């Protein structure tokens, strides 16, 4: 590690349960090394009071904190301010020290978007399909609205969950922007090519053969597929998109850029694309890729 720990070293870290598999220390300690910042980033298991952990970190003058599963919503009660975009998403992952406590941000979703841009994919004017209707899917639908997508179709096993998201986002948008559907509903959408975001945990290691939709006709409709999963590096969803002539990307860049955006907030810098690629290399090394 590049940093010489001394009396001026600032502490950064991530709280979660579990935390032992996090790649965040790799991202942040490498950024600290590149920029010669006197900070260290450590994982903290929080399996008791989240409020105590947050208050403790603030009292200890932490330079910033990431928050991961399962604390991303609960933590909202213990901060002094919430960024506007994060409020709409309803989950936060980054805390920045402010007057009297932390201000909370969501960098996961801006991270996904920055990853897309770095792959040359934009949401502007796109017809978007989202698989799943959990927190991640809801956030992606909100991002699509923010970034000028033409329309969004949420396909989910439990249609009522997709309908709830559609209702909420359409009320916010003031128009029929999101349409909810069953997983079998996609034939109605044929005739166009879509940007499709796989926002479920289906296909995650060790169940690498699982995929939400198998049908070949579905994959013919996708020009670009994003999976929020990065383990395995190529999911079955991605393989199917590619086999049908589309481009496919995994969730590793989302993870990279959520970290980079957090680091930028904490240290008031902008990280170049060149450095981002360097950090991505370190992450792949850590994953044994
Ligand atoms: P998160 O909040 O992290 O996004 P979640 O709330 O657990 O995750 O949501 C997981 C999503 O994956 C849900 O949309 C779920 O579908 P249901 O709403 O029908 O439960 C979807 N999902 C999980 N396992 C699935 C499977 N085997 N087939 C299809 N969809 C699945």
């Amino acid at each position: 590690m590049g940093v010489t720990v001394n009396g001026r070293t600032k502490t950064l870290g991530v709280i979660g349960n579990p935390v032992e598999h996090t790649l965040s220390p790799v991202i942040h300690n490498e950024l600290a090394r590149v920029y010669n910042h006197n900070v260290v980033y450590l994982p903290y298991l929080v399996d008791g009071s989240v409020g105590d952990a947050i208050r403790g970190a603030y009292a200890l003058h932490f330079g910033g904190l990431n928050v991961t599963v399962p604390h991303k919503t609960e933590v909202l009660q213990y901060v002094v301010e919430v960024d506007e975009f994060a409020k709409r998403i309803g989950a936060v992952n980054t805390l920045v020290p402010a007057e009297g406590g932390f201000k909370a941000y969501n960098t996961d979703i801006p991270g996904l978007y920055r990853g897309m841009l770095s792959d040359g994919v934009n949401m502007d004017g796109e017809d978007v399909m989202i698989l799943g209707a959990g927190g991640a899917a809801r956030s992606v639908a909100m991002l699509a609205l923010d970034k000028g997508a033409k329309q969004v179709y949420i396909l989910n096993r439990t249609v009522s969950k997709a309908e709830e998201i559609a209702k909420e986002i359409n009320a916010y948008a003031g128009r029929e922007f999101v349409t909810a559907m069953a997983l079998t509903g996609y034939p109605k959408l044929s005739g166009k090519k879509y940007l499709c975001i796989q926002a479920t945990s289906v296909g995650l290691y060790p169940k690498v053969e699982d995929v939400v939709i198998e049908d070949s006709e579905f994959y013919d409709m996708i020009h670009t597929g994003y999976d929020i999963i990065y383990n395995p590096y190529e999911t079955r969803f991605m393989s199917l998109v590619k086999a049908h002539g589309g481009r496919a990307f995994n969730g590793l860049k989302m993870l990279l850029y959520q970290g980079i955006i957090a680091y930028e907030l904490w240290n008031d810098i902008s990280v170049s694309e060149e450095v981002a690629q360097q950090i991505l290399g370190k992450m792949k090394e850590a994953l044994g890729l």
Side-chain angles (χ1 to χ4, degrees), residues 132-137 156-158 161 183 199-202 212:
N156 196 46
R157 181 175 60 182
T158 312
K161 275 166 82 184
L183 294 175
T200 77
S201 52
V202 178
V212 170

Side-chain angles (χ1 to χ4, degrees), residues 66-84:
N66 279 137
V67 182
T68 189
V69 180
H71 306 315
K72 285 186 176 191
T73 304
E74 189 187 346
V75 76
L76 284 165
Q77 308 166 44
Y78 308 110
V79 298
V80 290
E81 201 183 340
V82 182
D83 167 71
E84 281 308 312

Side-chain angles (χ1 to χ4, degrees), residues 10 28 31 37 40 82 85 171 175 192 200 226 238 271:
K10 276 263 179 204
H28 294 283
L31 283 165
H37 288 154
V40 291
V82 182
F85 183 72
R175 65 190 157 100
K192 272 191 199 166
T200 77
Y226 264 89
M238 291 168 63
V271 173

